[in-house]
Amino acid sequence: MTPAGKLQDRLKKLVQGSGGQYRKVRWEGRRGCPDCFIWWEWPNAAFVEIKAEGDRYSKLQEREVNRMQHDGIPVFTARGLTDIEAIVEIVRHGKR
């Protein structure tokens, strides 16, 4: 499993283990969407982009995430286990 795959697996386990939902995301007919969508009870929801150590956003991903964030959609970037734990805590408890 790739380093990013291991991080996604950890995110999925933490979210589901705390009563949340996890979905892998893919846009139809577009590229650049964040990797995952997580939620508990609305509005505690967010997209998460997983970037393993040394990985960077492509220009397309960066533009798509910036567009989403500009419109008020929460998108987080996880670069390690500490980020994943913090993101789960923030989204689960509705902190922004």
Side-chain angles (χ1 to χ4, degrees):
M1 184 178 293
T2 66
K6 289 178 184 176
L7 292 173
Q8 280 188 24
D9 190 52
R10 180 67 180 145
L11 175 65
K12 182 178 180 178
K13 287 179 181 173
L14 272 177
V15 169
Q16 292 177 335
S18 64
Q21 300 293 320
Y22 168 97
R23 298 293 186 274
K24 181 80 173 113
V25 179
R26 193 171 82 190
W27 294 157
E28 285 290 326
R30 277 188 87 93
R31 294 177 21 194
C33 74
D35 294 312
C36 323
F37 185 66
I38 60 173
W39 78 92
W40 286 262
E41 189 171 314
W42 188 259
N44 299 2
F47 287 92
V48 181
E49 175 64 26
I50 304 292
K51 291 293 182 195
E53 189 70 35
D55 288 351
R56 292 179 291 179
Y57 272 97
S58 70
K59 293 287 182 194
L60 180 63
Q61 286 176 315
E62 190 173 348
R63 188 172 55 241
E64 193 74 5
V65 167
N66 287 339
R67 183 178 294 146
M68 294 169 74
Q69 289 174 330
H70 178 266
D71 290 337
I73 299 169
V75 182
F76 294 88
T77 302
R79 297 190 177 277
L81 295 176
T82 304
D83 289 345
I84 287 172
E85 291 167 359
I87 291 165
V88 167
E89 188 69 17
I90 290 166
V91 179
R92 181 178 178 205
H93 296 291
K95 303 172 189 171
R96 296 275 188 248

